[in-house]
Amino acid sequence: MRIHHVRRLSQGYFLFLFVFFCAVTRLGTQWTEIRAWPVNWLLQLDPLTAVSTALGTGTLFAGLLWGVVTLSWTFLVGRFFCGWICPLGTLHQALGWLGARHKSFAQKLAGNAYHWAHRLKFYVLFFFLGMVSGPLWTPARWTDWALAAKTLGLFVVLAALVWGMSAQENPVASRASSRIQEGLMGLVLFALGLALGRFPAAVGSLQTGLLDPFPLIHRSMNQVVLPALGLFQPKGLAESRWTQGSWLLGLVFFAALALNFLKPRFYCRYLCPAGALMHLVGQRSLWRMARIVDRCTDCKRCEAVCDAACRPSSNPIAGECTLCGNCLVVCPEKAITYTWAPSPNSTAASGEGLLSRRRVLAALGLGLFAAPVFRLEGLAQRRFPPLVVRPPGSLPETEFLRRCIKCGQCSRICPTNVIQPALWEAGLEGLWTPVLDFRAGTSGCQYQCVACSRVCPTAAIRPLSLEEKHGTGAFADRGPVRIGAAFVVRSRCLPWAFGKPCIVCEENCPVSPKAIQTVETLEKLPGPFLCLGERQNHRWIVEGFQPPDMPPPLENLWLVADFSDSSLQWPIRAWGQGWIDVDFAPDQTKDEAADMSTVKRPFFLAVRLKKPMVDHTRCVGCGICEHECPVRGVPAIRVSAENESRHPERSLIAGKTFPNT
């Protein structure tokens, strides 16, 4: 079996595995549901997620150690991950082959030629790394010896990535001069970071998930492709899952695929930050491509099939090679090989094609400065958007934005489809991060569910137990985890604004004792007063009476003579044209009732209402009340982020603070 056949089998296997993991990311115990499947494994193999979260938080979530394994193998054999494992890379390669199938030899050569714009992905990578590395520069990270040692280690990692870039921009300049300039630029960047570190705005922001291939293909598959096809929907969901901003998610995904018809592996060549990271690690890999000069006839067949544009027929670019093996297959002279130690008559793959370190430092500094600029909006501090409600277990907003990679796993696992990708409500920084839209799914955030906290690959939503979520057992002193608070909009509430009975929110509140309680009131219905005539047992004859159109249910209607005296208020049992049947109080005599007919006083129709009110000492912000509210459009009860337990300063209860989650 030839090498490209083995590579295709590997690509097909991992593409199938990816689709299978997406399909089984549903609650349940069947083998076609999540059970114990490692649905995050492919996400955890992504080394960019491991590097960026470590830079932003100073810690590495245990599952992300798989990314270190990927980097280790990349150092040994090069960018095998892009050519043999990455499912998005597989789609790119297949579509690139399809687009180039009917092109001429010259067109294929032109399409696979190396271009200076391939360096754009390094700008993207270091801009994102600059954005997330803000916490490294804060003075607080250097006050503790253990924390300082860990921070210094992360600085070494970042410096190694910068130092791995080749200085190709100024070949005339002397090596000493170039190093002096780079050193000065590094000192300026360090001073800028320390200056920014004195301000609260100098925080990290993890934005690699916008273009990182694994989060991109996960959210595209889970929130666009599978729902659009109606495949692998959760149990109990009659229709396809809703996705807020599906047009933007779909546009980015399908545009990335369509660009392969313009250039094979367009996304991998020009934009992919994970590919740029593995380029840096794999450019000096121990196992690399080599061209045997004595055998090569410069026929260019290898370049016609090299969709990574790594220039195999002249001076191969090691970091661009994805080990696809196409060049090995088509070379008639067997002049292309992979080896541990290139022979003297061969040209080994080089590290050409990189940016100068000065430009890399500039991109890093721009990203470092961009994060506090975005944070100046105040959306993560006091000026927080109240309708951005995060899933239960979410870290405080600044920490959350250092960890969330926008992969959409929490949205996929949510059984009620209430978790949605944010558009602009959370600011540009929060694009595609998870928010709760209580009107979108089949219910609100289920009281007995902690699925999203168990599937998050980076612990942006930390693992919760039901005991902790409910504030019982060992967590009784802390109280339940609150994700927000419900507020009654009285101008839209049926009992408050329209005089119509409704207790839907109280009935559906899952908290015990209920967080939504009602206050009973008796209110006059619109219309003229009534003059009662003759009484026949429980029936009053009312001349000219006509039952109103679309009245409230009879069990809520009353006949009232005096709103301040309960003895002069009777529930209506039935009515018709010219008469009303009422129930007298058990202790009320017939004579007293008869006397009422002789008193020339007005009588009124009234409705007994139960008006909802929220007890914020019990409300956890689950949003079930908002979802079930019969008022469409803007509901009459809404949940906002106030009183969420992850931010003690947002507490609505005087003297009560909540521990961070």
Side-chain angles (χ1 to χ4, degrees), residues 467-543:
E467 189 178 62
E468 182 178 1
K469 184 180 180 181
H470 297 161
T472 58
F475 303 93
D477 58 329
R478 298 174 54 178
V481 172
R482 293 172 167 83
I483 59 176
F487 296 88
V488 177
V489 184
R490 295 189 179 186
S491 61
R492 298 183 63 82
C493 181
L494 295 180
W496 283 102
F498 301 99
K500 293 186 176 181
C502 178
I503 55 171
V504 170
C505 56
E506 180 196 23
E507 288 178 332
N508 285 278
C509 179
V511 180
S512 181
K514 288 186 178 293
I516 299 178
Q517 301 181 6
T518 57
V519 177
E520 287 195 1
T521 61
L522 194 62
E523 296 190 1
K524 176 183 175 298
L525 284 177
F529 64 86
L530 306 175
C531 292
L532 303 187
E534 179 185 358
R535 182 179 69 83
Q536 301 173 354
N537 295 325
H538 289 275
R539 174 169 295 183
W540 293 99
I541 304 300
V542 186
E543 185 177 353

Coordinates of all heavy atoms in Angstrom, one line a residue, residues 467-543:
E467 N -25.5 18.5 43.6 CA -25.5 18.9 44.9 C -25.0 20.4 45.1 O -25.6 21.2 45.8 CB -24.7 18.0 45.8 CG -24.8 18.2 47.3 CD -23.9 17.2 48.1 OE1 -22.7 17.2 47.9 OE2 -24.5 16.4 48.9
E468 N -23.9 20.7 44.3 CA -23.4 22.0 44.4 C -24.4 23.0 43.7 O -24.6 24.1 44.1 CB -22.0 22.1 43.7 CG -21.4 23.5 43.8 CD -20.0 23.5 43.2 OE1 -19.5 22.5 42.7 OE2 -19.4 24.6 43.2
K469 N -24.9 22.6 42.5 CA -25.8 23.4 41.8 C -27.0 23.8 42.6 O -27.5 25.0 42.6 CB -26.3 22.8 40.5 CG -27.1 23.7 39.6 CD -27.6 23.0 38.3 CE -28.4 23.9 37.5 NZ -28.9 23.3 36.2
H470 N -27.6 22.9 43.4 CA -28.7 23.1 44.2 C -28.4 23.7 45.6 O -29.3 24.2 46.3 CB -29.5 21.9 44.4 CG -30.1 21.3 43.1 ND1 -30.5 20.0 43.0 CD2 -30.3 21.8 41.9 CE1 -30.9 19.7 41.8 NE2 -30.8 20.9 41.1
G471 N -27.1 23.7 46.0 CA -26.8 24.3 47.3 C -27.2 23.4 48.4 O -27.7 23.9 49.4
T472 N -27.1 22.1 48.2 CA -27.5 21.2 49.3 C -26.3 20.4 49.8 O -25.2 20.5 49.2 CB -28.5 20.2 48.8 OG1 -28.0 19.5 47.6 CG2 -29.8 20.9 48.3
G473 N -26.4 19.6 50.9 CA -25.4 18.8 51.4 C -24.2 19.6 51.8 O -24.3 20.6 52.6
A474 N -23.0 19.3 51.3 CA -21.8 20.0 51.7 C -21.8 21.5 51.3 O -21.0 22.3 51.7 CB -20.6 19.3 51.1
F475 N -22.7 21.9 50.3 CA -22.7 23.2 49.8 C -23.9 24.0 50.4 O -24.2 25.1 49.8 CB -22.8 23.2 48.3 CG -21.7 22.4 47.7 CD1 -21.8 21.1 47.3 CD2 -20.5 23.0 47.4 CE1 -20.8 20.4 46.8 CE2 -19.4 22.3 46.8 CZ -19.6 21.0 46.5
A476 N -24.5 23.5 51.4 CA -25.7 24.2 52.0 C -25.4 25.6 52.4 O -26.2 26.5 52.4 CB -26.3 23.4 53.1
D477 N -24.2 25.8 53.0 CA -23.8 27.1 53.5 C -23.6 28.2 52.4 O -23.6 29.4 52.6 CB -22.6 27.1 54.4 CG -21.4 26.5 53.6 OD1 -21.6 25.7 52.7 OD2 -20.2 26.9 53.9
R478 N -23.3 27.7 51.2 CA -23.1 28.6 50.0 C -24.3 28.9 49.3 O -24.4 29.9 48.6 CB -22.0 27.9 49.1 CG -20.7 27.7 49.7 CD -19.8 27.0 48.8 NE -19.6 27.6 47.5 CZ -18.9 27.2 46.5 NH1 -18.2 26.1 46.7 NH2 -18.8 27.8 45.4
G479 N -25.3 28.1 49.4 CA -26.5 28.3 48.6 C -26.4 27.8 47.2 O -25.3 27.3 46.8
P480 N -27.5 27.8 46.4 CA -27.5 27.3 45.1 C -26.6 28.2 44.1 O -26.4 29.4 44.4 CB -28.9 27.3 44.7 CG -29.5 28.4 45.5 CD -28.8 28.4 46.8
V481 N -26.2 27.6 43.0 CA -25.5 28.4 42.0 C -26.6 29.2 41.2 O -27.5 28.7 40.6 CB -24.8 27.5 41.0 CG1 -24.2 28.2 39.8 CG2 -23.7 26.7 41.7
R482 N -26.4 30.5 41.2 CA -27.3 31.4 40.5 C -26.7 31.9 39.2 O -25.6 32.4 39.2 CB -27.7 32.6 41.4 CG -28.5 32.2 42.7 CD -28.6 33.4 43.6 NE -29.6 33.2 44.6 CZ -29.4 32.5 45.7 NH1 -28.2 32.0 46.0 NH2 -30.4 32.3 46.6
I483 N -27.5 31.8 38.1 CA -27.0 32.3 36.9 C -27.6 33.6 36.5 O -27.3 34.2 35.5 CB -27.2 31.3 35.7 CG1 -28.7 30.9 35.6 CG2 -26.4 30.0 36.0 CD1 -29.0 30.0 34.4
G484 N -28.6 34.1 37.3 CA -29.2 35.3 37.1 C -30.4 35.5 38.0 O -30.5 34.8 39.0
A485 N -31.3 36.4 37.6 CA -32.5 36.7 38.4 C -33.6 37.0 37.5 O -33.4 37.7 36.4 CB -32.2 37.8 39.4
A486 N -34.8 36.6 37.8 CA -36.0 36.9 37.0 C -36.7 38.1 37.5 O -36.7 38.4 38.7 CB -37.0 35.7 37.1
F487 N -37.2 38.9 36.6 CA -37.9 40.2 36.9 C -39.2 40.2 36.1 O -39.3 39.9 34.9 CB -37.1 41.4 36.5 CG -35.8 41.5 37.2 CD1 -34.6 40.9 36.8 CD2 -35.7 42.3 38.4 CE1 -33.4 41.0 37.5 CE2 -34.5 42.4 39.1 CZ -33.4 41.8 38.6
V488 N -40.3 40.6 36.8 CA -41.6 40.7 36.2 C -41.7 42.0 35.5 O -41.5 43.1 36.2 CB -42.7 40.5 37.3 CG1 -44.1 40.7 36.6 CG2 -42.7 39.1 37.9
V489 N -42.1 42.0 34.3 CA -42.3 43.2 33.5 C -43.8 43.6 33.6 O -44.6 43.0 32.9 CB -41.9 43.1 32.0 CG1 -42.0 44.4 31.3 CG2 -40.4 42.6 31.9
R490 N -44.1 44.4 34.6 CA -45.5 44.6 34.9 C -46.3 45.2 33.8 O -47.5 45.0 33.7 CB -45.6 45.5 36.2 CG -45.1 44.8 37.4 CD -45.4 45.6 38.7 NE -44.9 44.9 39.9 CZ -45.1 45.3 41.1 NH1 -45.9 46.4 41.3 NH2 -44.6 44.7 42.1
S491 N -45.7 46.0 32.9 CA -46.4 46.6 31.8 C -46.8 45.6 30.8 O -47.6 45.9 29.9 CB -45.5 47.7 31.2 OG -44.3 47.2 30.7
R492 N -46.3 44.4 30.8 CA -46.6 43.3 29.9 C -47.3 42.1 30.5 O -47.8 41.3 29.8 CB -45.4 42.9 29.1 CG -44.7 44.0 28.3 CD -43.6 43.5 27.5 NE -44.0 42.5 26.5 CZ -44.5 42.8 25.3 NH1 -44.6 44.0 24.9 NH2 -44.8 41.8 24.5
C493 N -47.2 42.0 31.8 CA -47.8 40.9 32.5 C -49.3 40.9 32.4 O -50.0 41.9 32.7 CB -47.3 40.9 34.0 SG -47.9 39.5 34.9
L494 N -49.9 39.7 32.1 CA -51.3 39.6 32.0 C -52.1 40.0 33.2 O -53.1 40.8 33.1 CB -51.7 38.2 31.5 CG -51.2 37.8 30.1 CD1 -51.7 36.3 29.8 CD2 -51.7 38.7 29.0
P495 N -51.7 39.5 34.4 CA -52.5 40.0 35.6 C -52.2 41.4 35.9 O -53.1 42.2 36.3 CB -52.0 39.1 36.7 CG -51.4 37.9 36.0 CD -50.8 38.4 34.7
W496 N -51.0 41.9 35.8 CA -50.6 43.2 36.2 C -51.2 44.3 35.2 O -51.7 45.3 35.6 CB -49.1 43.4 36.3 CG -48.5 42.8 37.5 CD1 -47.8 41.6 37.6 CD2 -48.5 43.4 38.9 NE1 -47.4 41.4 38.9 CE2 -47.8 42.4 39.7 CE3 -49.0 44.5 39.4 CZ2 -47.7 42.7 41.1 CZ3 -48.8 44.8 40.8 CH2 -48.2 43.9 41.6
A497 N -51.0 44.1 33.9 CA -51.3 45.1 32.9 C -52.7 44.9 32.3 O -53.3 45.9 31.9 CB -50.2 45.1 31.9
F498 N -53.2 43.7 32.2 CA -54.4 43.5 31.4 C -55.5 42.9 32.2 O -56.6 42.7 31.7 CB -54.1 42.5 30.2 CG -53.0 43.0 29.3 CD1 -51.7 42.6 29.4 CD2 -53.3 44.0 28.3 CE1 -50.7 43.0 28.6 CE2 -52.3 44.4 27.5 CZ -51.0 44.0 27.6
G499 N -55.3 42.7 33.5 CA -56.4 42.2 34.3 C -56.8 40.8 33.9 O -58.0 40.4 34.2
K500 N -55.9 40.0 33.4 CA -56.3 38.6 33.0 C -55.6 37.6 33.9 O -54.4 37.8 34.1 CB -55.9 38.4 31.5 CG -56.8 39.2 30.5 CD -56.5 38.8 29.1 CE -57.4 39.6 28.1 NZ -57.2 39.2 26.7
P501 N -56.3 36.6 34.3 CA -55.6 35.6 35.2 C -54.5 34.9 34.5 O -54.7 34.4 33.4 CB -56.8 34.7 35.6 CG -58.0 35.5 35.3 CD -57.7 36.3 34.1
C502 N -53.4 34.7 35.2 CA -52.3 33.9 34.6 C -51.3 33.6 35.8 O -50.9 34.5 36.5 CB -51.6 34.6 33.5 SG -50.2 33.7 32.8
I503 N -51.0 32.3 36.0 CA -50.1 31.9 37.0 C -49.1 30.9 36.4 O -48.5 30.0 37.1 CB -50.8 31.3 38.2 CG1 -51.7 30.1 37.8 CG2 -51.5 32.3 39.0 CD1 -52.2 29.3 39.0
V504 N -48.8 31.0 35.1 CA -47.9 30.1 34.4 C -46.5 30.1 35.0 O -45.9 29.0 35.2 CB -47.9 30.4 32.9 CG1 -46.8 29.6 32.2 CG2 -49.3 30.1 32.2
C505 N -46.0 31.3 35.2 CA -44.6 31.3 35.8 C -44.5 30.7 37.1 O -43.5 30.0 37.4 CB -44.2 32.8 35.8 SG -45.2 33.9 36.7
E506 N -45.5 30.9 38.0 CA -45.5 30.3 39.3 C -45.6 28.8 39.2 O -44.9 28.0 39.9 CB -46.6 30.8 40.2 CG -46.6 30.2 41.6 CD -48.0 30.4 42.3 OE1 -49.0 30.7 41.6 OE2 -48.0 30.4 43.5
E507 N -46.5 28.3 38.3 CA -46.7 26.9 38.2 C -45.4 26.1 37.7 O -45.1 25.0 38.1 CB -47.8 26.6 37.2 CG -49.2 26.9 37.8 CD -50.3 26.7 36.8 OE1 -50.0 26.8 35.5 OE2 -51.4 26.4 37.2
N508 N -44.6 26.8 36.8 CA -43.5 26.1 36.2 C -42.2 26.4 37.0 O -41.1 25.8 36.6 CB -43.3 26.6 34.8 CG -44.3 26.0 33.9 OD1 -44.2 24.9 33.4 ND2 -45.4 26.7 33.6
C509 N -42.2 27.2 38.0 CA -40.9 27.5 38.8 C -40.5 26.2 39.4 O -41.2 25.6 40.2 CB -41.2 28.5 39.8 SG -39.7 28.9 40.8
P510 N -39.3 25.7 39.2 CA -38.8 24.4 39.7 C -38.3 24.4 41.1 O -38.0 23.4 41.7 CB -37.7 24.0 38.7 CG -37.1 25.2 38.3 CD -38.3 26.3 38.3
V511 N -38.0 25.6 41.6 CA -37.4 25.8 42.9 C -38.4 25.4 44.0 O -39.6 25.8 43.9 CB -36.9 27.2 43.1 CG1 -36.2 27.4 44.5 CG2 -35.9 27.5 42.0
S512 N -38.0 24.8 45.1 CA -38.8 24.5 46.2 C -38.2 25.0 47.5 O -37.0 24.6 47.8 CB -39.1 23.0 46.3 OG -39.9 22.7 47.4
P513 N -38.9 25.9 48.3 CA -40.1 26.6 48.0 C -40.0 27.5 46.7 O -38.9 27.9 46.4 CB -40.4 27.4 49.2 CG -39.5 26.8 50.3 CD -38.3 26.2 49.6
K514 N -41.1 27.7 46.1 CA -41.0 28.4 44.8 C -40.5 29.8 44.9 O -40.8 30.5 45.9 CB -42.4 28.5 44.2 CG -42.9 27.1 43.7 CD -44.2 27.2 42.9 CE -44.7 25.9 42.4 NZ -43.8 25.4 41.3
A515 N -39.7 30.2 43.9 CA -39.1 31.5 43.9 C -40.1 32.6 43.4 O -40.0 33.8 43.6 CB -37.9 31.6 43.1
I516 N -41.2 32.1 42.7 CA -42.2 33.0 42.2 C -43.5 32.7 43.0 O -44.0 31.6 43.0 CB -42.5 32.8 40.7 CG1 -41.2 33.1 39.9 CG2 -43.6 33.7 40.2 CD1 -41.4 32.8 38.4
Q517 N -43.9 33.8 43.7 CA -45.1 33.7 44.5 C -46.1 34.7 44.0 O -45.8 35.6 43.2 CB -44.8 33.9 46.0 CG -43.8 32.8 46.5 CD -43.5 33.0 47.9 OE1 -44.1 33.8 48.6 NE2 -42.6 32.2 48.4
T518 N -47.4 34.6 44.4 CA -48.4 35.5 43.9 C -49.1 36.3 45.0 O -49.2 35.8 46.2 CB -49.5 34.7 43.1 OG1 -50.0 33.7 43.9 CG2 -48.9 34.1 41.9
V519 N -49.6 37.4 44.7 CA -50.4 38.2 45.6 C -51.8 38.4 45.0 O -51.9 38.8 43.9 CB -49.7 39.6 45.8 CG1 -50.6 40.5 46.7 CG2 -48.3 39.5 46.4
E520 N -52.8 37.9 45.8 CA -54.2 38.0 45.3 C -54.7 39.4 45.5 O -54.6 40.0 46.5 CB -55.0 37.0 46.1 CG -54.7 35.5 45.7 CD -55.8 34.6 46.2 OE1 -56.8 35.1 46.8 OE2 -55.7 33.4 45.9
T521 N -55.4 39.8 44.4 CA -56.1 41.1 44.4 C -57.5 40.9 43.7 O -57.6 40.0 42.9 CB -55.3 42.2 43.7 OG1 -55.1 41.8 42.3 CG2 -54.0 42.4 44.3
L522 N -58.4 41.8 44.0 CA -59.7 41.8 43.3 C -59.8 43.1 42.6 O -59.8 44.2 43.2 CB -60.8 41.6 44.4 CG -62.2 41.3 43.9 CD1 -62.2 39.9 43.2 CD2 -63.2 41.3 45.0
E523 N -60.0 43.1 41.3 CA -59.9 44.3 40.5 C -61.2 44.4 39.6 O -61.7 43.4 39.1 CB -58.7 44.4 39.6 CG -57.4 44.4 40.4 CD -56.2 44.7 39.6 OE1 -56.4 44.9 38.4 OE2 -55.1 44.8 40.1
K524 N -61.7 45.6 39.5 CA -62.9 45.9 38.7 C -62.7 45.7 37.3 O -61.7 46.1 36.7 CB -63.4 47.3 39.0 CG -64.6 47.8 38.2 CD -64.9 49.2 38.5 CE -66.0 49.7 37.6 NZ -65.6 49.6 36.1
L525 N -63.7 45.0 36.6 CA -63.6 44.9 35.2 C -64.1 46.1 34.5 O -64.9 46.8 35.0 CB -64.4 43.7 34.7 CG -63.9 42.3 34.9 CD1 -64.9 41.2 34.4 CD2 -62.6 42.1 34.1
P526 N -63.6 46.5 33.3 CA -64.1 47.7 32.6 C -65.6 47.5 32.3 O -66.1 46.4 32.0 CB -63.3 47.7 31.3 CG -62.1 46.9 31.6 CD -62.5 45.8 32.6
G527 N -66.3 48.6 32.4 CA -67.8 48.6 32.1 C -68.6 49.3 33.1 O -68.1 49.7 34.2
P528 N -69.8 49.6 32.8 CA -70.7 50.4 33.8 C -71.1 49.5 35.0 O -71.0 48.3 34.9 CB -71.9 50.7 32.9 CG -72.0 49.6 31.9 CD -70.6 49.3 31.6
F529 N -71.5 50.2 36.0 CA -72.0 49.5 37.2 C -73.3 48.9 36.9 O -74.0 49.2 36.0 CB -72.0 50.4 38.4 CG -73.0 51.5 38.3 CD1 -74.4 51.3 38.7 CD2 -72.7 52.8 37.9 CE1 -75.3 52.3 38.6 CE2 -73.6 53.8 37.8 CZ -74.9 53.6 38.1
L530 N -73.7 47.9 37.8 CA -74.9 47.1 37.6 C -75.9 47.5 38.8 O -75.5 47.8 39.9 CB -74.6 45.6 37.7 CG -73.6 45.1 36.7 CD1 -73.4 43.6 36.9 CD2 -74.0 45.3 35.2
C531 N -77.2 47.5 38.4 CA -78.2 47.6 39.4 C -79.0 46.3 39.5 O -79.6 45.9 38.6 CB -79.2 48.8 39.1 SG -78.4 50.4 39.1
L532 N -78.9 45.7 40.7 CA -79.6 44.4 40.9 C -81.0 44.5 41.2 O -81.5 45.5 41.8 CB -78.9 43.6 42.1 CG -77.4 43.4 42.0 CD1 -76.9 42.5 43.1 CD2 -77.0 42.8 40.6
G533 N -81.8 43.6 40.6 CA -83.2 43.6 40.8 C -83.7 42.4 41.7 O -83.1 42.2 42.8
E534 N -84.7 41.7 41.3 CA -85.2 40.6 42.1 C -84.2 39.4 42.2 O -83.4 39.2 41.3 CB -86.5 40.0 41.4 CG -87.1 38.9 42.1 CD -88.3 38.3 41.4 OE1 -88.6 38.9 40.3 OE2 -88.9 37.3 41.8
R535 N -84.2 38.8 43.4 CA -83.3 37.6 43.6 C -84.1 36.3 43.7 O -85.2 36.3 44.3 CB -82.5 37.7 45.0 CG -81.6 36.6 45.2 CD -80.8 36.8 46.5 NE -81.7 36.7 47.7 CZ -82.1 35.5 48.2 NH1 -81.6 34.4 47.8 NH2 -82.9 35.5 49.3
Q536 N -83.7 35.4 42.9 CA -84.3 34.1 42.9 C -83.3 33.0 43.3 O -82.5 32.6 42.5 CB -84.9 33.7 41.5 CG -85.9 34.7 41.0 CD -86.2 34.5 39.5 OE1 -85.6 33.6 38.9 NE2 -87.2 35.2 39.0
N537 N -83.3 32.6 44.6 CA -82.3 31.8 45.2 C -80.9 32.4 45.0 O -80.7 33.5 45.6 CB -82.4 30.4 44.7 CG -83.7 29.7 45.0 OD1 -84.3 29.9 46.1 ND2 -84.3 28.9 44.1
H538 N -80.1 31.7 44.2 CA -78.7 32.3 44.0 C -78.6 33.1 42.8 O -77.5 33.6 42.4 CB -77.7 31.1 43.9 CG -77.5 30.4 45.1 ND1 -76.6 30.8 46.1 CD2 -78.1 29.3 45.7 CE1 -76.6 29.9 47.1 NE2 -77.5 29.0 46.9
R539 N -79.8 33.4 42.1 CA -79.7 34.1 40.9 C -80.2 35.6 41.1 O -81.3 35.8 41.7 CB -80.6 33.4 39.8 CG -80.7 34.2 38.5 CD -81.3 33.4 37.4 NE -80.4 32.3 37.1 CZ -80.7 31.4 36.1 NH1 -81.8 31.5 35.4 NH2 -79.8 30.4 35.9
W540 N -79.5 36.5 40.6 CA -79.9 37.9 40.6 C -80.4 38.2 39.2 O -79.8 37.9 38.2 CB -78.8 38.8 41.0 CG -78.3 38.7 42.4 CD1 -77.2 38.1 42.8 CD2 -78.8 39.3 43.5 NE1 -77.0 38.2 44.2 CE2 -78.0 39.0 44.6 CE3 -80.0 40.2 43.7 CZ2 -78.3 39.4 45.9 CZ3 -80.2 40.6 45.0 CH2 -79.4 40.2 46.1
I541 N -81.5 38.9 39.2 CA -82.0 39.4 37.9 C -81.4 40.8 37.7 O -81.6 41.7 38.6 CB -83.6 39.5 37.9 CG1 -84.1 38.1 38.2 CG2 -84.1 40.0 36.5 CD1 -83.7 37.0 37.2
V542 N -80.7 41.0 36.6 CA -80.1 42.3 36.3 C -80.6 42.7 35.0 O -80.2 42.2 33.9 CB -78.5 42.1 36.3 CG1 -77.9 43.5 36.1 CG2 -78.0 41.4 37.5
E543 N -81.4 43.7 35.0 CA -82.1 44.2 33.8 C -81.0 44.8 32.9 O -80.2 45.6 33.3 CB -83.1 45.3 34.2 CG -83.9 45.8 33.0 CD -85.0 46.8 33.3 OE1 -85.2 47.0 34.6 OE2 -85.6 47.3 32.4

